Amino acid sequence: MGKSRHFSEDAVASFLSSQHYVILDRNIVFPGGEVDIVAEKKQQLVFIEVKYRKYFDAAEAFDLRKFQRIWNCAYLYTRGERSFRVDLFACGPKETFWYKGVREDGCCDSMERVNLW
Amino acid sequence: MDVVTVWSGLTYGNAFIPVEIQVTYGAGLPAFHMVGMVSESVEESKERVRYALKSVGKTLPQGRVMVAFLPSEVSKSGAHFDLAVLYAFLKGSSERFIVGEVGLDGTVRITPQSLKVIASAYLNGKRSFICPTLTSDILELMPEADFFMIDKVSQLMDGETSKPLPSPNKVAQAKYDLNEVKGSGIKRVALIAAAGWHHMLLLGNPGVGKTMVAERLVGIMPEMSQEEKLDLLSTTGSFPVQRPSRFTSWNSTPAGFFGSAKGSPGEATFSHRGILIMDEFPQYRKDILEGLRTVLDTGTIVASYGNQRLTWPADFLLVATSNPCPCGYLGHPKKVCKDAPSSVLRYLGRLSGPVADRIDLHYWVKSDETDRYVEGACDKVKAVWEKQYERWHKEGIDHAGKIPGEHVDDLICVSSSIKSMLNDSVEKSGLSRRERHKILRLSRTIADLDGEEDISVAHLAEALSYRQVLPWLKSLVP
């Protein structure tokens, strides 16, 4: 999946740029975990996880533990000084879903279908 | 976010509880939740529904799906909710009553639980169903209902209903012939028991044919009526091709016999409106024998488990068979009983007392009886059933054996001479009030079987003779 992973992360990054997001960092690693993309738009800091699954719904691979790792990482990154949002890109070979503002209980603010490729 | 509502149901004992299923979904990571005290079998329907949807080219809505089963304080079990949940995703809300199990390939199947729920929903006034394909004889039981029957999930989208399945070949009612039994006396007793719905206790030495008679009793009873079939279907979920005749084993547990707290019926309910055979009666566990008391009186089982109260119909005809003593040879013309008197008395003690008191007919089966061919046994029984129904149906009673004690004297008219005779013999042999009622009921059936309107001395004498086996056996003990 190595190839797909970088491929999809690159696709998401270029998609975000086209949506007027500024990419701040890629693949940051902290003791608590790792975040694929850090982006910003209109003072809103967004931590983005990209998941790619060829046969299953990629979003199902995202669970509470993964969310907590991203959150820990985001907290360390901001040193607790800024508010932030966690987003998930669930990519499949055909379509991609963008879950905005994912919360601990699995709910999110909004979700939309995007065209990455 | 819209809430989609569909209807299904469940049974608890013979109670029917309609279940409202609400389906909604919202933004979030994909999740499929079910709430409302669902058991594992309901919880698993998530996967069945997911793949059944896939089989018709649909998927679950993206996001968090929530399914709620209401009322939520009743625990739900069974696979029959699948179709209702699936319908909510495919078509949206519906007022119709939806029952059925779905497979991963999109086939819709019938389960005993579904049949039970459909039948009891029908009895509770539901008339419009979406369900798996039923056989035509089940449909005959519910003539007023409108069924949309499907074999495959895709039929929900086409709106195409299936034809009913052909009914399975009927098993011959008289699988066993009563005339295979030898002995005119025992045949007579079998006729009386079947004709008047009198419980029967057959005593005898080993190998005289007690069990043989018990097995053949169902053959001389009329076929089940549609109402009886529907009743049985709604509590057990199995379609009665013929009147039930259940052979139970003496190592049954009370839960297996009377029904369990989870709501599964026991042998007593499975033999509702049929025959329950208890072979080697005194060998049964004491709690089963004692539990029989109220069941024999009321024809229903009432059980309370925690805060739940269950009621099952259990209106069976009990045929109990037993040896007279542990070795079996007490009262044998040639062989000698080798048991200690105390053990014989203990054995007989399990037979007498409150339970045997509630069994109308006691009969000592002998091997050297004269034999006479009985012709048209089933017709004779049917004639008595019709006569007794005609006489008492206004009081809600269909058989002499089921007249409640307080009404026996009002409903069974006897001439004053017969009455004084009865009172005399009751006083002489110290019979209880209940036994007096049993004798009256028995003599009424015997008179009906002989085609006579008035109870004569001969009928009364015959009825009395069926209460004297146990005292006679006790007198044999040294």
Side-chain angles (χ1 to χ4, degrees):
Chain A
M1 205 167 57
K3 189 187 161 197
S4 313
R5 180 183 161 189
H6 288 295
F7 182 70
S8 52
E9 279 180 22
D10 290 345
V12 170
S14 60
F15 169 79
L16 284 171
S17 305
S18 74
Q19 298 281 314
H20 311 293
Y21 279 81
V22 181
I23 309 292
L24 300 180
D25 260 314
R26 294 277 299 271
N27 292 320
I28 52 164
V29 180
F30 278 93
E34 175 233 31
V35 174
D36 291 338
I37 302 170
V38 186
E40 189 175 18
K41 183 182 180 181
K42 293 181 186 160
Q43 301 294 314
Q44 166 85 68
L45 198 58
V46 190
F47 290 82
I48 293 145
E49 170 70 13
V50 182
K51 282 275 176 208
Y52 179 88
R53 287 286 184 276
K54 196 169 174 185
Y55 296 112
F56 294 98
D57 188 349
E60 283 179 8
F62 187 85
D63 55 8
L64 178 65
R65 216 173 91 196
K66 189 73 193 164
F67 174 84
Q68 280 166 343
R69 285 181 169 204
I70 294 169
W71 201 91
N72 287 344
C73 200
Y75 192 80
L76 292 172
Y77 186 89
T78 57
R79 296 190 195 92
E81 287 165 6
R82 283 187 69 182
S83 67
F84 56 85
R85 193 177 92 197
V86 177
D87 281 14
L88 168 70
F89 276 81
C91 313
K94 282 186 192 136
E95 55 187 12
T96 298
F97 277 91
W98 182 7
Y99 298 89
K100 289 185 190 170
V102 178
R103 289 189 298 274
E104 208 170 16
D105 59 355
C107 294
C108 65
D109 297 338
S110 69
M111 43 189 264
E112 63 183 82
R113 191 186 298 246
V114 295
N115 216 345
L116 282 188
W117 29 68
Chain B
M1 226 62 66
D2 278 351
V3 176
V4 172
T5 306
V6 288
W7 288 88
S8 191
L10 62 94
T11 57
Y12 196 64
N14 68 349
F16 168 72
I17 304 165
V19 175
E20 185 179 356
I21 303 173
Q22 296 187 334
V23 180
T24 186
Y25 43 90
L29 298 176
F32 195 167
H33 291 297
M34 284 187 169
V35 293
M37 277 182 77
V38 289
S39 72
E40 204 148 323
S41 50
V42 184
E43 193 92 27
E44 282 167 352
S45 86
K46 287 174 188 172
E47 303 307 320
R48 291 191 291 268
V49 167
R50 189 196 299 263
Y51 285 95
L53 277 171
K54 207 170 165 188
S55 76
V56 290
K58 304 269 177 171
T59 51
L60 281 174
Q62 197 71 30
R64 295 168 65 75
V65 178
M66 178 63 81
V67 179
F69 294 82
L70 308 167
S72 44
E73 79 263 30
V74 186
S75 63
K76 326 279 181 313
S77 69
H80 63 283
F81 293 112
D82 293 4
L83 192 61
V85 176
L86 185 104
Y87 189 93
F89 290 124
L90 267 185
K91 307 276 281 184
S93 295
S94 171
E95 283 296 307
R96 306 182 80 170
F97 196 81
I98 310 173
V99 175
E101 182 193 41
V102 298
L104 301 185
D105 51 355
T107 51
V108 180
R109 293 129 189 271
I110 191 82
T111 59
Q113 181 85 350
S114 328
L115 271 178
K116 201 163 40 166
V117 171
I118 291 172
S120 62
Y122 180 82
L123 285 173
N124 283 275
K126 300 270 185 248
R127 288 296 178 265
S128 179
F129 295 90
I130 299 176
C131 64
T133 312
L134 303 174
T135 58
S136 49
D137 45 8
I138 292 177
L139 292 178
E140 273 170 29
L141 298 182
M142 299 177 267
E144 289 165 39
D146 160 39
F147 287 98
F148 182 78
M149 295 188 291
I150 53 174
D151 287 320
K152 288 198 175 65
V153 173
S154 57
Q155 282 172 281
L156 277 179
M157 290 142 85
D158 312 338
E160 190 189 325
T161 174
S162 301
K163 288 209 173 64
L165 295 170
S167 30
N169 287 334
K170 285 226 168 89
V171 185
Q173 173 88 4
K175 193 172 149 201
Y176 299 115
D177 186 3
L178 186 67
N179 282 308
E180 287 165 12
V181 181
K182 296 286 168 261
S184 48
I186 181 67
K187 283 186 206 167
R188 167 95 176 157
V189 169
L191 272 178
I192 295 169
W197 205 269
H198 297 288
H199 303 301
M200 181 157 75
L201 171 63
L202 298 175
L203 290 147
N205 300 125
V208 290
K210 303 181 293 290
T211 314
M212 204 170 161
V213 184
E215 281 170 342
R216 279 155 186 76
L217 197 61
V218 71
I220 59 171
M221 291 176 106
E223 273 203 51
M224 289 185 101
S225 71
Q226 302 289 77
E227 291 80 30
E228 286 174 334
K229 283 184 180 173
L230 191 58
D231 230 22
L232 201 64
L233 189 65
S234 73
T235 43
T236 63
S238 61
F239 179 77
V241 182
Q242 62 173 17
R243 199 171 278 282
S245 174
R246 311 272 296 191
F247 197 93
T248 62
S249 145
W250 58 264
N251 53 13
S252 315
T253 59
F257 203 87
F258 297 115
S260 76
K262 286 192 173 169
S264 51
E267 290 289 348
T269 305
F270 273 107
S271 47
H272 176 60
R273 298 304 299 160
I275 290 161
L276 180 75
I277 304 169
M278 290 174 83
D279 211 13
E280 304 305 336
F281 191 64
Q283 306 275 13
Y284 276 77
R285 291 168 55 148
K286 196 156 171 85
D287 36 8
I288 291 180
L289 293 182
E290 298 301 316
L292 269 177
R293 290 195 210 175
T294 46
V295 180
L296 289 180
D297 272 352
T298 57
T300 49
I301 298 169
V302 180
S304 299
Y305 301 103
N307 57 354
Q308 310 269 34
R309 186 187 157 92
L310 275 159
T311 313
W312 278 294
D315 182 10
F316 53 80
L317 173 53
L318 174 69
V319 181
T321 70
S322 168
N323 289 331
C325 65
C327 82
Y329 290 106
L330 185 70
H332 194 278
K334 306 239 166 59
K335 290 186 183 168
V336 185
C337 170
K338 291 180 192 126
D339 291 313
S342 62
S343 72
V344 177
L345 285 176
R346 201 178 316 124
Y347 199 80
L348 287 173
R350 302 199 77 171
L351 279 175
S352 57
V355 180
D357 209 31
R358 283 173 172 84
I359 299 178
D360 301 7
L361 261 167
H362 297 175
Y363 188 71
W364 177 253
V365 188
K366 292 186 283 286
S367 50
D368 51 356
E369 275 185 316
T370 52
D371 187 35
R372 220 171 57 214
Y373 189 82
V374 180
E375 220 163 313
C378 192
D379 295 330
K380 280 184 192 166
V381 172
K382 203 170 179 181
V384 177
W385 279 33
E386 278 163 10
K387 206 186 281 178
Q388 298 194 338
Y389 178 77
E390 188 68 26
R391 195 182 294 140
W392 295 311
H393 76 274
K394 283 193 200 102
E395 282 81 17
I397 296 159
D398 41 7
H399 300 290
K402 289 203 260 175
I403 303 175
E406 64 269 27
H407 296 310
V408 168
D409 284 316
D410 312 335
L411 294 179
I412 300 176
C413 313
V414 284
S415 61
S416 53
S417 62
I418 299 277
K419 200 167 224 168
S420 63
M421 243 176 88
L422 175 65
N423 291 344
D424 274 358
S425 52
V426 164
E427 212 163 296
K428 244 182 246 163
S429 34
L431 296 174
S432 71
R433 222 187 177 74
R434 189 189 290 130
E435 278 179 302
R436 182 176 172 273
H437 292 154
K438 295 235 174 279
I439 291 163
L440 268 174
R441 288 187 199 118
L442 264 178
S443 34
R444 180 68 262 170
T445 304
I446 296 168
D448 283 337
L449 197 61
D450 290 348
E452 280 168 44
E453 210 37 59
D454 298 315
I455 299 173
S456 71
V457 182
H459 302 143
L460 186 67
E462 191 178 349
L464 275 166
S465 74
Y466 295 134
R467 307 287 318 174
Q468 277 152 12
V469 180
L470 287 174
W472 170 69
L473 277 175
K474 272 181 193 160
S475 72
L476 289 183
V477 183

